Amino acid sequence: MRILIANRGEIAVRIIRTCKVLGIETIAIYSKVDKDKPFVAMADYAECIGEANPAETYLNMEKIIDVAKKLKADAIHPGYGFLSENDEFAKLVQDNGLIFIGPSADAIKKMGDKLEAREIAKKVGVPIVPGSESPISDIQSAIEIARKIGFPILIKAAAGGGGKGMRIVHKEEDFESAIRGAKNEAKFAFGDDRVYIEKYVEEPHHIEVQILADKFGNVIALGERECSIQRRHQKVIEETPSPIVTAELREKLFESAIKIAKAVNYENAGTIEFIVDKNRNFYFLEMNTRLQVEHPVTEMVTGIDIVAEQIKIALGNKLSFSQEDIKPRGHAIECRIYAEDPFNNFLPSTGKITLMKEPTGPWVRVDAGIEEGNEITIHYDPMISKLVVWGKDRIEAIDRMKTALSEYKIFGVKTTIPFCLWVMNNEHFRQGKYDTHFIQNYFKPSELNEFDEISKDGKLTPEIAPAIAFAILNSVKKKQNQQVDKSSNAERKINRWKMKRYENFR
Ligand code: ADP
Ligand code: ADP
Ligand code: MG
């Protein structure tokens, strides 16, 4: 058996690891800029398919199929992002006699359209967020709908994803221009300008249910994940179980998720996302018809390898366990480590990783896509890795995450490690009292200094000092090379101070 992985980075590594355990051979496809990444070296076969541009590489369906045929793959795993929710690709894979490790093209298509997905949920009796049933055609009728549901409202793109194409509107005066803006944005990002309205749920929690479904109509729920720590409507930290889900709510969420999956004859792994308000009312949000970034937290508490199950299901095996067999144990948390600057609005940060030291120890898992010496480029998503820990309860998991984060050293680019440490230390988070506005409500970049290796007043160990010094010298050199010195007085002062600190290590 041989699987081609139509993806890159950490998720390609993640899939290869499971394939190795199952005795399955793997094929990596990669772009030139990714040639030194671990996933290329780890796969049994690897083929370069282009320079860098996603359209020519990881989104290039024909080329990927050609490689799969040439290297005699039996199946294709799409990972997440890229082609994973592209029904045309799923169909193309099958039309070429290969197995697509994921749901049917039909289920992907139905669930890829948020309006259609809402209709399906409604039909099977699952609550949906109050809003419009069809795309907005004229402003007047849209305003009437908005008045009826009451402001604030959210304008969403029917084809949306990745947190893009959404606009909150607080008052009627802003409605018309917001609709126009949202339509343009949706057209540009998704090639589809259909937008619709949803009530903006206040104090919202993003809670999702991981399901597995086989080809024989068996659907089971593996558990829920709380994903409310978000920036730009995108998750950064996830955990399971959710601190706000009661046994009663869990049962309802599972039941709803299974109903929706069955309504589209779903097979393989999938996630049904819900928005839950402060009174624990829940509403269907959307379905992600693929493996999700945050799947490891569910694996940590259930002991189930979701990628292995995906492969078994795609090969036509019956699920080997039932709902009663799922007995989650303890608590798991995931921090997504991004090459982003938490001091500066989470702006992506590029450059060479000059030093990387990963945490380890009991119940610590690092799913990384890059290693020391690799370059973070502008071409792809800036996620470096996922740090996942398990604890017998929530507080133990938080404290283990704190330890792991403080052992984690990445230099050369800015990362979200200090931010994640700040969250783990935040009282509201520790008490489990947070919603999707957590960052907006509590986060002050100035509070990060304490958790930042370079700016905090802690001691640097001799092993990491040279790497920091190297990174600092490089950035200072870069600045000096710039003809116009754009750095502020404060910045210059910090640089001088950092240089002085470096002197102390020599
Ligand atoms: P999740 O709910 O699993 O976080 P997202 O919609 O945020 O799902 O997307 C998953 C990941 O895939 C994100 O980290 C994002 O960067 C990446 N991704 C999403 N869409 C694309 C795309 N079209 N091309 C490349 N990467 C993508
Ligand atoms: P995407 O396809 O981009 O993932 P989602 O519909 O899943 O879009 O929404 C992404 C995030 O936006 C949610 O996790 C939540 O934080 C926020 N959101 C979406 N819909 C609503 C809503 N009706 N009310 C409040 N927040 C919402
Ligand atoms: Mg979503």
Side-chain angles (χ1 to χ4, degrees), residues 114 129 154 156 160-164 166 198-201 204 206 230 233 273 275 285-286 436:
K114 291 191 186 208
V129 187
L154 194 58
K156 291 173 95 165
K164 287 189 215 83
M166 260 182 288
E198 262 181 26
K199 163 113 195 119
Y200 188 74
V201 175
H206 174 118
Q230 303 183 344
H233 300 298
E273 298 188 332
I275 203 114
L285 203 53
E286 65 159 346
T436 61

Side-chain angles (χ1 to χ4, degrees), residues 472 475-476 479 487-501:
I472 292 168
S475 75
V476 171
K479 281 236 169 78
S487 56
S488 65
N489 269 338
E491 239 178 313
R492 276 198 290 274
K493 225 154 113 191
I494 292 171
N495 280 336
R496 265 207 302 279
W497 171 76
K498 285 178 184 166
M499 291 289 273
K500 219 163 102 194
R501 176 183 276 240

Side-chain angles (χ1 to χ4, degrees), residues 6 37-38 45 113 265 317 347:
K37 301 286 190 314
Y45 305 89
D113 185 327
N265 295 320
N317 291 306
L347 226 67

Side-chain angles (χ1 to χ4, degrees), residues 20-35:
K20 281 184 192 285
V21 173
L22 297 177
I24 295 171
E25 289 184 325
T26 51
I27 304 167
I29 47 145
Y30 64 96
S31 67
K32 234 180 206 163
V33 291
D34 275 342
K35 69 177 190 319

Side-chain angles (χ1 to χ4, degrees), residues 248-397:
E248 190 192 348
L249 176 58
R250 181 169 299 120
E251 201 174 309
K252 283 191 208 151
L253 291 173
F254 283 14
E255 192 196 326
S256 303
I258 291 171
K259 262 195 213 159
I260 289 172
K262 286 193 167 164
V264 291
N265 295 320
Y266 197 83
E267 59 172 82
N268 218 284
T271 299
I272 292 91
E273 298 188 332
F274 296 94
I275 203 114
V276 179
D277 71 14
K278 59 179 176 201
N279 301 317
R280 294 198 173 84
N281 296 309
F282 68 93
Y283 308 95
F284 168 74
L285 203 53
E286 65 159 346
M287 179 165 187
N288 289 154
T289 52
R290 57 171 162 87
L291 183 66
Q292 253 173 315
V293 176
E294 58 275 20
H295 75 278
V297 291
T298 306
E299 297 185 323
M300 292 294 247
V301 299
T302 57
I304 290 169
D305 179 333
I306 295 175
V307 172
E309 294 307 320
Q310 283 194 291
I311 296 170
K312 289 187 216 160
I313 290 168
L315 291 177
N317 291 306
K318 250 192 190 147
L319 282 174
S320 59
F321 37 78
S322 63
Q323 191 65 55
E324 293 70 48
D325 297 324
I326 307 302
K327 294 198 175 68
R329 185 173 151 259
H331 201 97
I333 305 178
E334 169 179 285
C335 286
R336 301 189 188 189
I337 310 300
Y338 282 99
E340 286 179 356
D341 185 359
F343 288 90
N344 188 10
N345 228 352
F346 296 93
L347 226 67
S349 167
T350 54
K352 193 187 178 89
I353 307 284
T354 52
L355 177 137
M356 184 149 106
K357 183 174 168 279
E358 288 175 349
T360 175
W363 301 298
V364 175
R365 165 174 170 180
V366 185
D367 280 18
I370 58 160
E371 58 193 15
E372 203 171 289
N374 283 167
E375 192 96 28
I376 306 273
T377 67
I378 48 154
H379 302 293
Y380 314 111
D381 189 78
M383 194 169 79
I384 295 172
S385 69
K386 306 181 313 199
L387 172 58
V388 190
V389 303
W390 180 90
K392 66 179 184 310
D393 54 40
R394 186 166 184 270
I395 287 296
E396 188 184 289

Side-chain angles (χ1 to χ4, degrees), residues 157-301:
K164 287 189 215 83
M166 260 182 288
R167 278 177 193 221
I168 304 172
V169 186
H170 292 278
K171 39 188 201 309
E172 201 172 311
E173 305 86 284
D174 303 333
F175 187 72
E176 201 171 330
S177 70
I179 292 272
R180 266 200 215 104
K183 267 174 143 1
N184 283 337
E185 202 176 305
K187 180 141 200 170
F188 180 74
F190 313 109
D192 177 347
D193 76 345
R194 288 173 307 138
V195 297
Y196 68 101
I197 307 172
E198 262 181 26
K199 163 113 195 119
Y200 188 74
V201 175
E202 303 205 49
E203 296 183 35
H205 282 256
H206 174 118
I207 297 174
E208 58 186 34
V209 176
Q210 173 74 56
I211 59 124
L212 283 177
D214 64 18
K215 291 180 191 289
F216 307 92
N218 302 304
V219 186
I220 65 167
L222 292 185
E224 87 278 3
R225 293 185 286 254
E226 168 81 54
C227 312
S228 299
I229 307 282
Q230 303 183 344
R231 46 105 184 74
R232 296 190 280 269
H233 300 298
Q234 272 195 299
K235 305 155 188 170
V236 238
I237 296 174
E238 304 95 346
E239 60 176 312
T240 189
S242 159
I244 69 149
V245 171
T246 57
E248 190 192 348
L249 176 58
R250 181 169 299 120
E251 201 174 309
K252 283 191 208 151
L253 291 173
F254 283 14
E255 192 196 326
S256 303
I258 291 171
K259 262 195 213 159
I260 289 172
K262 286 193 167 164
V264 291
N265 295 320
Y266 197 83
E267 59 172 82
N268 218 284
T271 299
I272 292 91
E273 298 188 332
F274 296 94
I275 203 114
V276 179
D277 71 14
K278 59 179 176 201
N279 301 317
R280 294 198 173 84
N281 296 309
F282 68 93
Y283 308 95
F284 168 74
L285 203 53
E286 65 159 346
M287 179 165 187
N288 289 154
T289 52
R290 57 171 162 87
L291 183 66
Q292 253 173 315
V293 176
E294 58 275 20
H295 75 278
V297 291
T298 306
E299 297 185 323
M300 292 294 247
V301 299

Side-chain angles (χ1 to χ4, degrees), residues 107-159:
I108 297 176
K109 189 163 189 210
K110 281 182 177 144
M111 287 303 176
D113 185 327
K114 291 191 186 208
L115 277 163
E116 191 167 350
R118 275 164 68 80
E119 210 173 298
I120 291 166
K122 198 175 161 193
K123 227 181 251 163
V124 294
V126 173
I128 55 173
V129 187
S132 58
E133 315 262 300
S134 49
I136 286 166
S137 49
D138 67 296
I139 296 288
Q140 205 41 50
S141 57
I143 281 187
E144 269 154 38
I145 297 172
R147 274 188 202 137
K148 213 158 85 195
I149 48 182
F151 287 90
I153 56 118
L154 194 58
I155 302 171
K156 291 173 95 165

